[in-house]
Amino acid sequence: MITVTAQHQPGWAGFTGDANPYGGGDPYADYRTADFPFTRYANLADRRLGAGVIAANDEFFAQRENLLVPERAEFDPEHFGHKGKIMDGWETRRRRGASAEHPWPTAEDHDWALVRLGAPGVVRGIVVDTAHFRGNYPQAVSIEGTSVAGAPSPEELLGDDVKWTTLVPRTPVGGHAANGFEVAVEQRFTHLRVNQHPDGGIARLRVYGEVVPDPAWLEVLGTFDVVALEHGGQVEDASNLFYSPATNTIQPGRSRKMDDGWETRRRRDRGNDWICYRLVERSQIRAIEIDTAYLKGNAAGWASVSVKDGERGEWRDILPRTRLQPDTNHRFVLPAPAVGTHARVDIYPDGGISRLRLYGSLTEEGATRLSARHRELGG
């Protein structure tokens, strides 16, 4: 196993030390968190993208799969099982030393979990959330990344020939806190190894970054959704995020409930709401889907779609302002392909949509640039 250390650049002071024991009431009342700028990126460890915790050396008290549950961790002070307190996270047993004379774990002792990212990409920041782990969180954490093609087994990932790059060096963390780490490594990763030193519990793991798709796969697909998160599309900005994130609109699959889309607060002016997207690369768009699934009394009344070609390009409509129906998937075939690098959906006057799909293919220029970036990032 080969390890490469990369530069780590924290942009803020981290949390350390125990939180107070739970004293009743709202368990999040004394939760420690911060405004991490990298959370504007997509969560590459989202189960909806296909992420999974594929192995861990120990999960005695709480299962490793809890790390990637999309909802925040819950706490029930009365919930105990045969092994002890049941926690909503990944928790290992207490490590012990080799003998009565040396009862403490060594400096090298640690527990680990292997995480397959849902979409390979460049990691911009990581949150190791120790919510409700007040006196049983790890003393420190470290995180490494690797890029391995296909669907490697845990045994293959732990093999001596796999190169791991340090994304987060061994760093003290705090209990009952969102411990954030900015990452400055321009490399494409497919898997992470999360280490907790020497033992303890982590409630949730979030891995924020930019999806870097496989150009060969997109070439085989031919026509695909050029704004989809799994293909490398991303949200750049939105007018309002009051009820839900705009990134929901480019998640895989159809929405499964109302908050699995994008919904804005009620407007009391004469304006409208919107989302701006960056496409995977320069593309030809041939068809559009706007879905309002599960948005029944709060769907947008009308919507339009526009594109621009390049950062300095001018916006031009490819779908004029069109009436939308609640809880309905709307499909539109364009009369001619629309070429662009960015897209924008405007909704009138407010409300929400659950998904936006822009079907098309890469231009020759876009395919060339995407392939070059894939190679530069080690794909």
Side-chain angles (χ1 to χ4, degrees):
M1 181 170 57
I2 305 166
T3 300
V4 178
T5 300
Q7 184 182 15
H8 168 61
Q9 297 181 342
W12 45 84
F15 303 108
T16 56
D18 294 349
N20 291 326
Y22 175 63
D26 180 5
Y28 274 100
D30 58 344
Y31 176 68
R32 294 176 286 179
T33 187
D35 184 13
F36 304 120
F38 52 71
T39 57
R40 68 184 180 88
Y41 294 101
N43 178 19
L44 303 182
D46 194 324
R47 285 287 301 172
R48 290 174 293 181
L49 288 174
V53 186
I54 61 175
N57 71 307
D58 187 285
E59 47 185 329
F60 185 84
F61 287 113
Q63 291 74 31
R64 64 183 190 258
E65 287 85 0
N66 290 334
L67 284 172
L68 305 188
V69 171
E71 294 80 19
R72 71 177 188 172
E74 299 298 329
F75 180 71
D76 181 352
E78 305 299 328
H79 197 190
F80 285 83
H82 295 294
K83 294 181 179 180
K85 181 74 184 73
I86 296 176
M87 298 293 289
D88 186 8
W90 168 50
E91 185 180 6
T92 67
R93 71 191 78 200
R94 298 184 187 223
R95 282 184 171 269
R96 296 293 183 246
S99 66
E101 291 74 25
H102 299 280
W104 309 278
T106 70
E108 291 74 32
D109 286 343
H110 67 278
D111 294 318
W112 53 265
L114 294 178
V115 177
R116 179 190 65 242
L117 297 180
V122 178
V123 178
R124 300 301 184 193
I126 298 173
V127 172
V128 176
D129 189 348
T130 58
H132 315 304
F133 288 92
R134 296 169 177 268
N136 51 346
Y137 59 94
Q139 181 183 31
V141 299
S142 62
I143 301 174
E144 304 156 281
T146 190
S147 183
V148 179
S153 67
E155 293 75 20
E156 290 171 321
L157 288 170
L158 296 173
D160 292 338
D161 58 337
V162 173
K163 182 178 74 173
W164 290 89
T165 298
T166 300
L167 305 184
V168 178
R170 184 168 175 166
T171 306
V173 294
H176 196 45
N179 299 276
F181 304 94
E182 191 172 33
V183 178
V185 185
E186 287 296 320
Q187 187 176 332
R188 179 181 185 265
F189 295 104
T190 60
H191 296 78
L192 300 187
R193 183 168 58 192
V194 180
N195 305 302
Q196 50 176 337
H197 307 267
D199 54 37
I202 298 171
R204 298 289 188 267
L205 177 75
R206 304 294 187 237
V207 182
Y208 297 98
E210 298 176 64
V211 176
V212 181
D214 182 355
W217 177 251
L218 297 184
E219 183 180 1
V220 170
L221 292 180
T223 296
F224 58 93
D225 181 2
V226 298
V227 76
L229 183 59
E230 62 189 310
H231 296 148
Q234 57 184 284
V235 169
E236 289 198 322
D237 200 4
S239 61
N240 187 271
L241 304 173
F242 189 84
Y243 286 113
S244 46
T247 303
N248 281 352
T249 61
I250 54 175
Q251 289 281 2
R254 293 198 72 196
S255 175
R256 294 169 296 174
K257 52 183 180 175
M258 192 175 72
D259 66 351
D260 190 19
W262 172 61
E263 183 186 359
T264 70
R265 72 177 73 204
R266 299 186 188 216
R267 276 191 170 267
R268 303 307 187 198
D269 59 19
R270 306 295 290 180
N272 74 285
D273 289 312
W274 49 266
I275 307 174
C276 287
Y277 306 87
R278 181 189 298 174
L279 308 183
V280 53
E281 249 299 346
R282 192 168 188 258
S283 305
Q284 296 184 76
I285 301 168
R286 300 185 183 87
I288 299 170
E289 278 188 357
I290 301 176
D291 196 353
T292 58
Y294 292 98
L295 297 165
K296 298 181 178 180
N298 50 350
W302 292 262
S304 64
V305 178
S306 54
V307 299
K308 70 175 182 178
D309 196 8
E311 293 285 352
R312 299 184 179 181
E314 295 185 359
W315 292 106
R316 62 189 187 282
D317 282 347
I318 60 173
L319 179 71
R321 194 179 303 187
T322 301
R323 188 75 169 94
L324 299 182
Q325 299 300 321
D327 195 27
T328 301
N329 193 25
H330 308 76
R331 292 178 171 175
F332 309 95
V333 176
L334 301 185
V339 175
T341 57
H342 296 72
R344 171 176 168 137
V345 60
D346 284 84
I347 62 171
Y348 302 88
D350 56 20
I353 61 173
S354 61
R355 295 291 187 270
L356 173 72
R357 307 295 188 207
L358 302 177
Y359 295 105
S361 57
L362 296 175
T363 65
E364 184 176 348
E365 176 188 352
T368 299
R369 283 203 300 254
L370 186 64
S371 295
R373 184 164 188 256
H374 189 262
R375 289 192 301 270
E376 289 169 2
L377 296 172

